Amino acid sequence: LAKTTQPISMDSYEGQEVNITCSHNNIATNDYITWYQQFPSQGPRFIIQGYKTKVTNEVASLFIPADRKSSTLSLPRVSLSDTAVYYCLVGVLHYKLSFGAGTTVTVRA
Amino acid sequence: DGGITQSPKYLFRKEGQNVTLSCEQNLNHDAMYWYRQDPGQGLRLIYYSQIVNDFQKGDIAEGYSVSREKKESFPLTVTSAQKNPTAFYLCASSIDPGLSSYNEQFFGPGTRLTVL
């Protein structure tokens, strides 16, 4: 299983862009990179998934360099409601995905 | 509305008692999962099922049991053998992992179990 490393916490202010980088040095050829968001006392919610280069949806962008050993989740113009824990997962089999401790993002006014 | 429901939201039990947590989905998903989350930590996989009448142990299956008699339902029993059962339990479902590499799991609202 590809191990991931991401910062424990990050602080930001409303309107700023937040970038969370996840390291996954031993990512396998078939592995996808997936990000989830979790609010307190709720289940995680899928945000975005990518394999290489850049993926963008209405919520976030995911940047993956050519070597795929890291990825960066970008949240544009965050608001207070973006305060949550963000998980980086690497894998291809759903039941092999590992939710680590994640990154706690705190957005302040 | 399609989704996953878990009940109850809060559950209290005395030590030595078994308790069953309910999980139902109407998304027509083949795969279902149970996770445990302790305060300040990530999710740990307890059991998963890829198809009806089949399930596999996850990373922390000891002290838990499951059944998958219907596609829509995947109940989890926390037995008295589980040493530290107080936690937040999350159920999830997804399309057949064998059919897609799309790693989206849909999670229920969770059940917070407290052992008194």
Side-chain angles (χ1 to χ4, degrees):
Chain A
L1 294 177
K3 179 178 169 61
T4 61
T5 302
Q6 52 183 121
I8 294 174
S9 63
M10 297 181 71
D11 288 343
S12 184
Y13 290 92
E14 284 191 292
Q16 290 188 335
E17 179 181 77
V18 171
N19 296 306
I20 309 170
T21 296
C22 178
S23 297
H24 28 80
N25 291 320
N26 60 340
I27 188 170
T29 303
N30 295 334
D31 285 344
Y32 282 75
I33 300 159
T34 311
W35 286 80
Y36 280 78
Q37 174 193 56
Q38 185 181 26
F39 298 113
S41 297
Q42 294 186 26
R45 181 176 72 103
F46 174 94
I47 299 177
I48 197 166
Q49 177 175 312
Y51 183 79
K52 61 180 179 180
T53 62
K54 176 184 175 181
V55 180
T56 297
N57 62 21
E58 65 278 6
V59 176
S61 294
L62 179 60
F63 299 91
I64 305 168
D67 66 6
R68 302 199 332 121
K69 293 184 182 300
S70 67
S71 59
T72 299
L73 175 72
S74 180
L75 306 172
R77 299 178 298 283
V78 294
S79 64
L80 296 176
S81 62
D82 291 315
T83 293
V85 178
Y86 293 83
Y87 298 97
C88 168
L89 291 76
V90 171
V92 66
L93 297 174
H94 300 189
Y95 49 85
K96 291 291 188 181
L97 297 179
S98 177
F99 288 81
T103 297
T104 298
V105 172
T106 303
V107 180
R108 307 180 192 281
Chain B
D1 287 337
I4 299 179
T5 57
Q6 291 185 242
S7 61
K9 188 172 179 64
Y10 298 96
L11 188 58
F12 298 88
R13 81 150 216 225
K14 294 180 180 179
E15 278 192 47
Q17 290 181 336
N18 292 355
V19 62
T20 298
L21 281 58
S22 169
C23 177
E24 303 278 335
Q25 56 99 359
N26 61 4
L27 300 167
N28 199 33
H29 284 166
D30 291 299
M32 297 188 73
Y33 314 80
W34 273 105
Y35 292 90
R36 168 184 172 137
Q37 186 171 35
D38 293 287
Q41 299 187 28
L43 283 68
R44 291 184 290 170
L45 183 64
I46 304 173
Y47 269 98
Y48 65 93
S49 169
Q50 292 181 264
I51 196 169
V52 174
N53 292 321
D54 185 60
F55 49 82
Q56 306 295 329
K57 292 182 179 180
D59 301 320
I60 56 165
E62 185 175 350
Y64 300 97
S65 65
V66 294
S67 63
R68 187 86 187 275
E69 297 177 359
K70 299 187 299 181
K71 187 175 185 177
E72 304 78 20
S73 179
F74 192 39
L76 173 75
T77 297
V78 184
T79 75
S80 57
Q82 168 50 233
K83 299 303 181 187
N84 298 296
T86 294
F88 188 47
Y89 290 88
L90 288 158
C91 179
S93 71
S94 71
I95 60 174
D96 182 354
L99 296 178
S100 172
S101 59
Y102 198 61
N103 289 330
E104 182 169 8
Q105 294 184 28
F106 294 80
F107 283 83
T111 292
R112 191 167 298 279
L113 173 65
T114 302
V115 175
L116 305 172

